[in-house]
Amino acid sequence: MNNQNPITAIEAIDSIESTFHTENNLRRAHSTGVAFDAIFQPSGAAVPWTTAAHLQKTEVPAVVRFSHSSTNPNPNERLSPVKGMAVRFQLPNNTYTNLTMVNVPIFISKTPEAFIRLIQAFDSNSTWSQRIDALMHNTEYKTFGTILKELKPFRNFESLHYYSIHAYFLKNADLERQAVRFEWQPLTQNDDATSNSMENELIHKVQQGPPVRFRLLMQLAERGDATADPTIAWPDDRKLIEAGILTLHSLRTDNAESIVFDPTVTIKGIECSDDPVLHFRSAAYNESAKRRGVIKA
Ligand code: HEM
């Protein structure tokens, strides 16, 4: 790869595999986590903006997977501060749509190429000073300082906020389009951490109650807000719509290992923005899924 040529998903996953420890049968990022069956109850407040089935008024079953971003099967929870929350809304006729989010509102780079160059800069031949230099002094990664500040101390998965980072376009019955970004806002008040792992802590809370819930917020863009650049947050005063509430119900015995939470899978009433990182994720997740044996190579 050089700075001019677009990267392929194969090159991207090869770079991850040569820089980090990965396991054949696990995801090439966010390799460990815990998955639940859940119910999403839409509030109906999104109806003026979209015809999307999961954002109307009828409840929808969902699968939710929380993860540590590390590629390592035994990640140190604290040294892997980026956490994931992936949600699949299961709709009639075997259709579905995904929201695959993390606990920071912006991404480290505007393009997939710059992100993979950063991964390559972290390979075993580089020193820590070269790595810090790549992050601190390269203008491609100028959001690094902001991301560090956003990574507030955490104790568990269930009290974090998770963000789609990318914009999506909602389409309503009159075919009007509105750019939005999504956020899961935790509704859990109990912030104790009594178990030996974040996974066990969450399993315990889901089994013992009170219910573990998240509110889905949609931030509405205004004219001029960037929709194809994941490094730029929209101003805080943008209108927020409360689209519904997700309640975790029971631990999944398959841990959602065979699910690919491709964030570009959308349904009528919602479309992907032109963000190049969003589109690249689809190819990268599918390449990772092939290598871990859950879809055909
Ligand atoms: C070019 C940028 C990116 C690349 C190359 C990349 C790569 C990957 C790969 C290979 C996986 C494993 C997929 C699988 O095997 O099913 C993964 C999972 C994941 N990624 Fe990314 N990713 C990128 C950007 C992002 C962004 C911007 C977010 C958040 C908005 C994100 C959130 C996640 C989450 C939450 C998972 C775990 C999904 C699950 O539970 O299955 N990634 N990523």
Side-chain angles (χ1 to χ4, degrees):
M1 178 184 56
N2 61 36
N3 287 9
Q4 277 76 46
N5 291 341
I7 191 179
T8 65
I10 291 177
E11 288 171 311
I13 304 299
D14 284 348
S15 297
I16 293 176
E17 287 181 353
S18 69
T19 298
F20 302 113
H21 175 100
T22 57
E23 296 273 321
N24 272 345
N25 60 336
L26 297 181
R27 288 166 172 81
R28 287 341 190 231
H30 295 257
S31 67
T32 61
V34 61
F36 298 89
D37 284 317
I39 292 286
F40 180 67
Q41 177 61 63
S43 65
V47 171
W49 286 276
T50 180
T51 55
H54 62 307
L55 297 174
Q56 302 305 299
K57 291 182 182 159
T58 313
E59 68 172 34
V60 175
V63 180
V64 186
R65 180 174 181 267
F66 294 88
S67 57
H68 309 280
S69 58
S70 172
T71 62
N72 196 303
N74 298 303
N76 179 316
E77 289 179 349
R78 306 288 137 191
L79 296 180
S80 179
V82 176
K83 305 297 178 193
M85 178 175 170
V87 179
R88 170 165 297 192
F89 300 90
Q90 296 190 298
L91 298 164
N93 306 321
N94 283 332
T95 57
Y96 58 85
T97 182
N98 299 324
L99 281 176
T100 308
M101 329 230 275
V102 286
N103 59 327
V104 275
I106 50 172
F107 195 54
I108 187 75
S109 67
K110 268 185 200 194
T111 64
E113 286 77 14
F115 180 55
I116 300 302
R117 277 196 292 277
L118 183 63
I119 288 175
Q120 291 166 346
F122 271 67
D123 74 10
S124 55
N125 299 321
S126 61
T127 62
W128 271 104
S129 96
Q130 286 168 325
R131 294 172 190 182
I132 307 267
D133 197 51
L135 274 170
M136 302 298 283
H137 303 121
N138 186 330
T139 51
E140 287 191 307
Y141 313 119
K142 57 178 187 295
T143 59
F144 177 62
T146 315
I147 290 175
L148 274 187
K149 275 188 229 140
E150 289 287 346
L151 286 170
K152 307 198 176 74
F154 58 90
R155 296 161 68 89
N156 51 44
F157 286 121
E158 57 275 17
S159 57
L160 293 173
H161 290 244
Y162 298 87
Y163 306 88
S164 66
I165 297 185
H166 314 289
Y168 290 84
F169 287 103
L170 300 182
K171 219 186 229 182
N172 67 12
D174 298 324
L175 303 183
E176 293 162 329
R177 284 189 352 143
Q178 168 67 51
V180 296
R181 279 172 163 163
F182 294 97
E183 172 183 342
W184 288 115
Q185 177 189 55
L187 293 176
T188 304
Q189 299 305 321
N190 176 358
D191 201 17
D192 299 345
T194 49
S195 296
N196 54 355
S197 77
M198 289 170 68
E199 284 86 339
N200 287 342
E201 180 67 28
L202 183 50
I203 294 168
H204 177 77
K205 282 187 183 142
V206 169
Q207 287 169 350
Q208 301 298 312
V212 177
R213 297 180 307 152
F214 289 85
R215 177 181 285 131
L216 184 62
L217 298 176
M218 301 190 320
Q219 187 186 26
L220 305 190
E222 290 185 13
R223 188 182 290 271
D225 290 344
T227 54
D229 186 341
T231 67
I232 302 177
W234 296 340
D236 284 342
D237 64 359
R238 294 296 178 258
K239 188 170 179 169
L240 290 174
I241 305 294
E242 298 185 3
I245 291 188
L246 181 78
T247 306
L248 306 187
H249 275 289
S250 51
L251 182 67
R252 276 181 76 95
T253 48
D254 67 352
N255 218 18
E257 289 306 338
S258 64
I259 295 186
V260 185
F261 291 93
D262 175 346
T264 66
V265 177
T266 53
I267 50 164
K268 194 167 163 284
I270 177 164
E271 293 168 2
C272 292
S273 63
D274 293 332
D275 183 336
V277 175
L278 172 60
H279 290 277
F280 190 79
R281 287 176 67 190
S282 178
Y285 290 27
N286 281 290
E287 181 59 27
S288 168
K290 279 184 203 160
R291 295 190 195 192
R292 64 188 176 91
V294 300
I295 59 173
K296 282 208 178 79

